[in-house]
Amino acid sequence: MELVPLADGFGVEVKGVSLLDVAIDAQAYTEVRKAFETHSLLVFRDQQIADDVQVAYSRAFGPLELTKAASVGENSFYSRLTNVGSQGEIVPPDHRQVLVAKANALWHTDSSFKKTPALASVLTARVLPDAGGETEYTSTRLAWERLPADLQEKLKRAVATHSYANSRDQIHPDLANAEERKALPPVRWRLNWRNPSNDRRALYVASHAYAIDGMDDRDARQLLAQLLDEATRPEFVYSHKWRQGDAVMWDNRAMLHRGRPWDYSRERSMVRTTISATEADGLSEVKPPVTH
């Protein structure tokens, strides 16, 4: 296995090992898991992409999330991110599926709004437009290390509230529908996540976050915006230009990402599988303290 660096301090292209190898070979999994824990972002090129292979690869890393209510692929392992409708047509620019793509253009970490947050996501390219639609990534582990020590100490104890509706409301007031709002009530997580495998902390923040325990609303939103801005400074961002056969995996504990726009009259179809975090991934530490 060869690892080719993609960005300064995070991200590698994995060569010599396929998704299928990881799914069926314990040694391949061990090597790729080590690369994942160290580099946070893995890119596999020229893969034979298929739903069952993607799920088999993803399942090697932990339990799989079911796609949330009111999504394409609801209640399956597959989140289908596409601007193609049920009859095979390209949907209009005001269609919910395009608005979802626009919401994904906000910097976020997947599933921080769920009762069990995500360890990792695996995204594969199925149909790509001629241009645009890149995915940008940045390391919140490196962002944490750039913060002053006194702010790190404050954030170790700080707890933020995340909700799906908070990010969707920034795009359109009806994008998070009543079913989603009921299924996904606000949740609280610490503002940092320690990786037990290497003891490195990462800032845990997203466009889903909007409140911090013990802070007034305006101050909390201002601090969250400042933390997002620091993490996503352009010089620290890797932009992935998709090619057919690409599979990209990232660590949601230690990365932010966002999708870039494209010509929405052109088809773009991607499939994401999401791996839930477990106690072995540091989940208990990111949970807020229990209050009685």
Side-chain angles (χ1 to χ4, degrees), residues 188-209:
R188 296 160 61 246
W189 304 113
R190 291 187 188 271
L191 268 163
N192 72 100
W193 195 322
R194 188 185 71 87
N195 183 328
S197 76
N198 53 29
D199 202 35
R200 294 181 72 184
R201 286 184 193 273
L203 188 60
Y204 193 59
V205 67
S207 59
H208 309 306

Side-chain angles (χ1 to χ4, degrees), residues 2 16 35 75 88 99 107 144 150 162 197 240 260:
E2 182 188 359
N75 218 31
L99 294 177
W107 285 107
W144 175 266
D150 59 338
H162 297 241
S197 76
H240 184 72
R260 303 306 290 148

Side-chain angles (χ1 to χ4, degrees), residues 20-242:
L20 190 57
D21 291 335
V22 174
I24 64 175
D25 183 86
Q27 181 62 34
Y29 164 74
T30 299
E31 290 185 23
V32 170
R33 179 73 190 229
K34 184 179 175 185
F36 166 77
E37 299 288 1
T38 302
H39 301 288
S40 305
L41 175 71
L42 307 180
V43 172
F44 297 81
R45 301 274 196 189
D46 305 315
Q47 298 297 298
Q48 297 295 315
I49 303 292
D51 283 358
D52 57 349
V53 172
Q54 184 169 342
V55 149
Y57 170 88
S58 303
R59 191 177 264 135
F61 291 83
L64 299 190
E65 214 180 74
L66 289 175
T67 297
K68 65 170 186 59
S71 301
V72 182
E74 175 180 353
N75 218 31
S76 75
F77 295 134
Y78 308 101
S79 179
R80 302 191 184 275
L81 306 165
T82 180
N83 60 333
V84 174
S86 57
Q87 306 302 311
E89 78 287 9
I90 301 285
V91 297
D94 61 349
H95 191 278
R96 176 181 170 82
Q97 286 169 230
V98 175
L99 294 177
V100 166
K102 291 178 177 178
N104 284 335
L106 300 170
W107 285 107
H108 64 287
T109 181
D110 288 336
S111 301
S112 73
F113 53 82
K114 292 190 172 179
K115 286 178 182 145
T116 302
L119 165 66
S121 300
V122 180
L123 188 62
T124 57
R126 304 302 177 92
V127 180
L128 294 168
D130 296 336
E134 300 85 3
T135 305
E136 293 183 339
Y137 297 92
T138 193
S139 168
T140 56
R141 179 186 291 170
L142 297 179
W144 175 266
E145 292 169 1
R146 293 195 301 270
L147 296 176
D150 59 338
L151 183 54
Q152 287 181 351
E153 284 305 310
K154 178 181 173 183
L155 295 178
K156 277 181 186 176
R157 297 183 300 275
V159 174
T161 301
H162 297 241
S163 89
Y164 181 75
N166 182 67
S167 58
R168 269 49 196 165
D169 288 349
Q170 296 172 48
I171 303 299
H172 191 282
D174 300 326
L175 182 50
N177 64 26
E179 182 185 6
E180 289 172 305
R181 289 171 194 268
K182 183 179 178 184
L184 298 165
V187 292
R188 296 160 61 246
W189 304 113
R190 291 187 188 271
L191 268 163
N192 72 100
W193 195 322
R194 188 185 71 87
N195 183 328
S197 76
N198 53 29
D199 202 35
R200 294 181 72 184
R201 286 184 193 273
L203 188 60
Y204 193 59
V205 67
S207 59
H208 309 306
Y210 64 91
I212 299 173
D213 286 10
M215 289 182 73
D216 75 52
D217 187 57
R218 184 164 172 258
D219 290 347
R221 287 182 182 271
Q222 187 174 20
L223 177 56
L224 290 166
Q226 287 171 347
L227 293 171
L228 268 180
D229 286 348
E230 169 56 41
T232 60
R233 279 161 48 189
E235 63 265 35
F236 300 123
V237 170
Y238 164 70
S239 179
H240 184 72
K241 295 174 173 55
W242 289 91

Side-chain angles (χ1 to χ4, degrees), residues 251-271:
D251 186 342
N252 282 297
R253 302 168 300 176
M255 300 288 299
L256 287 166
H257 66 283
R258 68 175 180 179
R260 303 306 290 148
W262 73 96
D263 177 353
Y264 297 117
S265 68
R266 304 279 182 182
E267 180 179 353
R268 182 177 184 271
S269 292
M270 316 289 284
V271 175

